[in-house]
Amino acid sequence: MTKEKKPVNVNSVGVVKTEYFSFNELLLENGERFGPITLAYETYGILNKEKSNAILILHALSGDAHAAGIHENENITGWWDAFIGPGKAFDTDKYFVICSNILGGCKGSTGPASINPKTKKPYALDFPLISINDIVNAQKRLVDHLGIVKLLSVVGGSMGGHQVLAWLVNYSDSIRSAVPIATTIKHSPQQIAFNEVGRQSIMADVHWKSGNYYDGTVPSKGLAVARMIGHITYMSDKSMAEKFGRDKKEAGEPFKFTADFEVEGYLRYRGDNFVKRFDANSYLYITKAMDNFDASKGKPFQEALRGVKAKVLVIAFKSDWLYPAYQSKEIVKACKLAGIETTYCEVDSAYGHDAFLLEVEEESHLIRHFLKKVYYAYEVTGNYGE
Amino acid sequence: MTKEKKPVNVNSVGVVKTEYFSFNELLLENGERFGPITLAYETYGILNKEKSNAILILHALSGDAHAAGIHENENITGWWDAFIGPGKAFDTDKYFVICSNILGGCKGSTGPASINPKTKKPYALDFPLISINDIVNAQKRLVDHLGIVKLLSVVGGSMGGHQVLAWLVNYSDSIRSAVPIATTIKHSPQQIAFNEVGRQSIMADVHWKSGNYYDGTVPSKGLAVARMIGHITYMSDKSMAEKFGRDKKEAGEPFKFTADFEVEGYLRYRGDNFVKRFDANSYLYITKAMDNFDASKGKPFQEALRGVKAKVLVIAFKSDWLYPAYQSKEIVKACKLAGIETTYCEVDSAYGHDAFLLEVEEESHLIRHFLKKVYYAYEVTGNYGE
């Protein structure tokens, strides 16, 4: 438990510290045995005596373990701080919240930038081609390590939602509920295509050198372009129009292909910022894991869900064209066919895919209410209908 | 007139030849005098005695003068061959069809790859920052050169549509009708953003060298990524799903980031093919001209259209999310407010933006009918309501 009693504001979990959990080996989906593995993680709130109030938060492509609060001597709040804290959707006065950086990531967990103990050099492309199921299997080890037999909920948006669905299929006995947000059972060709172009952009960078760039210049231009493509897909036509219009920046350097429009400056800024904090090889591995993921494992999804008893809340956003609402409805339909108690809400937001980070009020309301219902069922009955 | 009597099939204009028209100088929108300028062009059909049957076809970003028929000893039909020929939408038994490669292009017209007579080297970034209006002003010179005082119609999709709108605003006395297809009055931030990411990708290529690559390796990887981004935006989520699904390619080389999915292979193929036939600097100049274009010149578009007497047919496609139908409706609304006789049709197609090249039957029907109405009005009355 990393929470300390230094609240930065009334609703913050305060100053938090990232912790690390290591284990020797994981049998990967491709049959390979891989290890050792370290997962960076943070927790907020207090685990109750019955260990019945733990919620696992699952992050998206560029996320990390730092979901809430601030780090000592830093000013950056966690990526879902608006949702996690005293009185917030994930009420830390009530729940014990865990968030870990995924296997394959570059924020403290073992990934392609980590040192390969056999060669004493970064893995680079010797890192195995991991899957979303591998990522979830590693998380399960962390949850076991924390002594939690049954999670109150697993919650995540976008690629976090892929992980939620993998938990639902692979570990349904270990969760009481699941909240997949703005996600899909499997990527469509359009979603694969956007990821593929990002990968191509990284691999086209002369500094990528088949992934062996760790002792020299990193492929920052290729990664920046990949991130810019991502940012376009995270916003909606409407939200971009509202945010930028066709406003021009003040005249910059006298170059023909200067960022004239505000939107160009914004994309360049976001791209340049991203390369400071993200590893290009992690981007390749994680996007490939997303594209290869199929929660239904080739069957109709309802068959993969057979016997699942967890309650499910599915949230989608109207203007999200990267993970369109029809994909969330496919999840809902399969859950209902599998006899799962499922709630669906399509939030009327203009923010596009980013809405899952930005629609604080409505999303919080939905999550708070859902968690209360699930938790209350446990508190009153002492079990969960099992 | 380049048509020769060697029809390759009953509806083809047969073997055609690209011709060239040069003039000394053009006053650009930015105040610069630029020249000499050559425009590559092709014509199909026969110009009648009254010179009243000429239609100017305006191409999109990657198009060229070769819109119909085939070239001697080549097998590639023109990019709009399905629409241009005897009995087709642009019936060459009836109309005289002109198509020219735009100023700034790389298919025979003067562009950044052309030799600067002052330096005897390619212009590269010494090429002026041209606008859509400049492109249209150059086309006007060609039309004057062909002795045509009044075009029966100007027609084009996508960036071709930008040019149609520029003709409508700048040269309304020189056209009897206009057909803007799948286009917009001005680019939205999202449209600018996609172009900007393409430009960033080109400029990130180590071989781009600030545009000075003509005597060495071309920035093919950066240009390929730009083209891949384009291709995603030209298709719809649905058309991609129908074309590719999640089908995997046969196992290729044993590399982790191989193109596993059909859609990945398709994008790589299209990207690689494009770099063989397109100049990266032209891509920069043309996309920038598109982004800077505003047919309304900062006013409400209906004011820019005041006094226009040409008839207008606006065509949009339901699944086109790059140039969404709402943008075509904005054109229609402004035309109606300006008192222009305007017809609008939103074609129910799944092809996305590519529909303007692929929806042959329905689009042909609309165009054929519209042209007939405009032409008939002239034939019968000898004037056009002027």
Side-chain angles (χ1 to χ4, degrees):
Chain A
M1 218 273 296
T2 53
K3 189 184 159 191
E4 297 178 28
K5 290 290 169 209
K6 290 189 201 169
V8 281
N9 68 50
V10 284
N11 294 316
S12 173
V13 296
V15 175
V16 297
K17 228 174 74 187
T18 306
E19 303 196 21
Y20 299 89
F21 162 65
S22 295
F23 56 103
N24 282 338
E25 195 180 84
L26 188 72
L27 176 61
L28 300 180
E29 212 179 351
N30 68 8
E32 202 176 321
R33 289 183 180 279
F34 179 71
I37 290 170
T38 296
L39 293 187
Y41 70 101
E42 295 187 4
T43 68
Y44 322 107
I46 296 166
L47 185 61
N48 64 13
K49 214 177 54 190
E50 300 82 13
K51 299 187 175 176
S52 64
N53 68 336
I55 296 169
L56 181 64
I57 304 285
L58 304 156
H59 70 70
L61 172 54
S62 64
D64 54 31
H66 184 41
I70 58 164
H71 289 157
E72 190 93 64
N73 302 321
E74 275 181 30
N75 243 336
I76 303 157
T77 49
W79 59 268
W80 230 16
D81 190 73
F83 293 83
I84 304 165
K88 294 183 185 173
F90 301 98
D91 187 346
T92 48
D93 288 339
K94 205 167 174 181
Y95 306 120
F96 176 67
V97 176
I98 311 157
C99 183
S100 75
N101 183 216
I102 61 165
L103 171 67
C106 51
K107 309 293 187 70
S109 292
T110 304
S114 302
I115 298 298
N116 180 346
K118 283 179 199 140
T119 63
K120 315 289 181 207
K121 287 188 211 163
Y123 283 103
L125 293 207
D126 286 337
F127 196 78
L129 201 60
I130 47 155
S131 69
I132 296 289
N133 291 317
D134 295 331
I135 287 168
V136 163
N137 290 341
Q139 286 158 352
K140 179 66 166 63
R141 296 285 190 96
L142 170 64
V143 171
D144 291 345
H145 162 75
L146 295 172
I148 298 156
V149 175
K150 203 149 193 163
L151 289 161
L152 178 64
S153 200
V154 288
V155 184
S158 199
M159 188 191 68
H162 295 167
Q163 296 163 59
V164 169
L165 298 183
W167 270 93
L168 200 57
V169 170
N170 302 338
Y171 295 113
S172 70
D173 289 345
S174 307
I175 61 174
R176 294 190 200 285
S177 70
V179 186
I181 304 171
T183 194
T184 183
I185 299 168
K186 53 181 182 274
H187 269 184
S188 67
Q190 191 184 66
Q191 289 164 323
I192 294 170
F194 277 118
N195 275 345
E196 166 68 1
V197 175
R199 287 190 293 269
Q200 285 292 318
S201 173
I202 289 167
M203 296 192 288
D205 191 312
V206 72
H207 295 299
W208 181 62
K209 297 194 281 190
S210 300
N212 297 306
Y213 52 77
Y214 292 107
D215 56 357
T217 307
V218 301
S220 53
K221 287 187 178 179
L223 180 59
V225 169
R227 182 59 167 176
M228 289 187 225
I229 298 166
H231 266 295
I232 301 175
T233 65
Y234 304 154
M235 300 182 77
S236 73
D237 183 26
K238 195 175 168 190
S239 67
M240 280 190 139
E242 280 167 5
K243 192 175 172 105
F244 308 112
R246 282 178 56 91
D247 289 348
K248 298 247 184 172
K249 290 177 59 175
E250 284 178 40
E253 73 252 63
F255 172 57
K256 292 193 166 90
F257 301 104
T258 293
D260 302 318
F261 293 100
E262 290 282 359
V263 65
E264 295 173 314
Y266 172 82
L267 287 177
R268 290 188 192 190
Y269 169 80
R270 297 301 292 251
D272 291 346
N273 248 11
F274 187 63
V275 301
K276 291 175 200 156
R277 65 178 180 90
F278 213 85
D279 176 50
N281 284 338
S282 270
Y283 201 92
L284 298 180
Y285 276 92
I286 298 171
T287 55
K288 200 70 180 171
M290 295 167 78
D291 291 344
N292 283 331
F293 179 64
D294 179 357
S296 66
K297 303 187 177 184
K299 298 175 285 188
F301 190 39
Q302 58 269 26
E303 289 182 23
L305 293 172
R306 199 166 285 167
V308 170
K309 288 193 185 68
K311 286 186 169 61
V312 174
L313 167 64
V314 180
I315 301 175
F317 300 92
K318 272 205 169 62
S319 60
D320 184 351
W321 60 275
L322 182 61
Y323 288 86
Y326 79 80
Q327 294 186 329
S328 283
K329 286 180 198 158
E330 287 169 357
I331 298 170
V332 173
K333 191 177 171 189
C335 287
K336 299 240 177 201
L337 284 171
I340 295 171
E341 195 180 315
T342 313
T343 309
Y344 174 60
C345 188
E346 193 173 315
V347 177
D348 189 11
S349 168
Y351 284 124
H353 187 56
D354 269 346
F356 88 90
L357 299 168
L358 300 172
E359 284 292 352
V360 179
E361 199 177 340
E362 187 154 353
E363 205 176 350
S364 291
H365 176 77
L366 293 167
I367 291 170
R368 184 182 290 115
H369 182 78
F370 176 76
L371 289 176
K372 209 166 158 183
K373 205 173 63 177
V374 176
Y375 192 51
Y376 180 77
Y378 178 83
E379 282 184 321
V380 169
T381 62
N383 65 39
Y384 184 61
E386 291 103 313
Chain B
M1 218 273 298
T2 52
K3 189 184 159 189
E4 296 178 30
K5 290 290 169 208
K6 289 190 202 169
V8 280
N9 67 51
V10 285
N11 294 318
S12 173
V13 297
V15 175
V16 296
K17 228 173 74 186
T18 306
E19 303 197 21
Y20 300 90
F21 163 64
S22 296
F23 56 103
N24 282 337
E25 196 180 83
L26 188 72
L27 176 61
L28 301 179
E29 211 177 353
N30 68 9
E32 202 177 320
R33 289 183 180 280
F34 179 71
I37 289 170
T38 296
L39 292 187
Y41 70 100
E42 294 187 6
T43 68
Y44 322 107
I46 296 165
L47 184 62
N48 64 14
K49 215 177 54 190
E50 301 81 13
K51 298 188 174 177
S52 65
N53 68 337
I55 297 169
L56 181 65
I57 304 286
L58 303 156
H59 70 71
L61 172 53
S62 65
D64 54 31
H66 183 41
I70 58 164
H71 289 158
E72 191 92 65
N73 301 322
E74 275 180 31
N75 243 335
I76 304 157
T77 49
W79 59 269
W80 230 16
D81 190 72
F83 292 84
I84 304 165
K88 294 182 184 173
F90 301 99
D91 187 345
T92 48
D93 287 339
K94 206 165 171 180
Y95 306 121
F96 176 68
V97 177
I98 311 157
C99 183
S100 76
N101 183 217
I102 61 166
L103 171 67
C106 51
K107 309 293 186 70
S109 291
T110 303
S114 303
I115 297 299
N116 179 347
K118 282 180 199 139
T119 63
K120 315 289 182 209
K121 287 189 213 165
Y123 283 104
L125 293 207
D126 286 338
F127 195 79
L129 202 59
I130 47 154
S131 69
I132 296 289
N133 291 317
D134 294 330
I135 287 168
V136 164
N137 290 341
Q139 286 158 352
K140 180 66 165 64
R141 296 286 190 96
L142 170 65
V143 171
D144 291 346
H145 162 74
L146 295 172
I148 298 157
V149 175
K150 203 149 193 163
L151 289 160
L152 178 64
S153 200
V154 288
V155 184
S158 199
M159 188 191 70
H162 295 166
Q163 297 164 58
V164 169
L165 298 183
W167 270 93
L168 200 58
V169 170
N170 302 339
Y171 295 114
S172 70
D173 289 345
S174 306
I175 60 174
R176 295 190 199 284
S177 70
V179 185
I181 304 171
T183 195
T184 183
I185 297 167
K186 53 181 181 274
H187 268 184
S188 68
Q190 191 184 66
Q191 290 164 322
I192 294 170
F194 277 118
N195 275 346
E196 166 67 2
V197 175
R199 287 190 293 269
Q200 285 292 319
S201 174
I202 290 167
M203 296 191 289
D205 191 312
V206 72
H207 296 298
W208 181 63
K209 297 193 281 189
S210 300
N212 297 306
Y213 53 76
Y214 292 107
D215 55 358
T217 307
V218 301
S220 53
K221 287 187 176 178
L223 180 59
V225 169
R227 181 59 167 176
M228 289 186 225
I229 298 166
H231 267 293
I232 301 176
T233 65
Y234 304 153
M235 301 182 76
S236 74
D237 184 26
K238 195 175 168 190
S239 67
M240 280 191 138
E242 281 168 4
K243 192 176 171 100
F244 307 113
R246 282 177 56 89
D247 291 348
K248 298 247 184 172
K249 290 177 58 175
E250 284 177 39
E253 74 254 62
F255 173 58
K256 292 193 166 87
F257 301 105
T258 292
D260 302 318
F261 292 100
E262 290 282 0
V263 64
E264 295 173 314
Y266 172 81
L267 288 176
R268 290 189 192 190
Y269 169 79
R270 297 301 293 250
D272 291 345
N273 248 11
F274 187 62
V275 301
K276 291 176 199 154
R277 65 178 180 89
F278 212 85
D279 176 50
N281 284 337
S282 270
Y283 201 92
L284 298 179
Y285 276 91
I286 297 171
T287 55
K288 201 69 180 172
M290 294 167 79
D291 291 344
N292 283 331
F293 179 64
D294 179 356
S296 65
K297 302 187 176 182
K299 299 175 285 188
F301 189 40
Q302 57 271 25
E303 289 182 24
L305 292 172
R306 198 166 285 165
V308 169
K309 288 193 185 70
K311 285 186 168 63
V312 174
L313 167 65
V314 179
I315 302 175
F317 300 92
K318 272 204 170 62
S319 60
D320 185 350
W321 59 276
L322 182 61
Y323 287 86
Y326 79 80
Q327 295 186 329
S328 283
K329 286 179 199 158
E330 287 170 358
I331 298 170
V332 173
K333 192 177 171 188
C335 286
K336 299 239 177 201
L337 284 170
I340 295 171
E341 195 181 316
T342 312
T343 309
Y344 174 61
C345 188
E346 194 172 315
V347 177
D348 188 11
S349 168
Y351 284 124
H353 188 56
D354 269 346
F356 88 89
L357 299 167
L358 299 173
E359 285 292 352
V360 180
E361 200 177 341
E362 188 153 353
E363 206 176 351
S364 290
H365 176 77
L366 293 167
I367 291 170
R368 183 182 292 116
H369 182 77
F370 176 75
L371 289 176
K372 209 167 158 183
K373 205 172 63 175
V374 177
Y375 191 51
Y376 181 76
Y378 177 82
E379 281 185 321
V380 171
T381 64
N383 66 39
Y384 184 61
E386 291 104 313

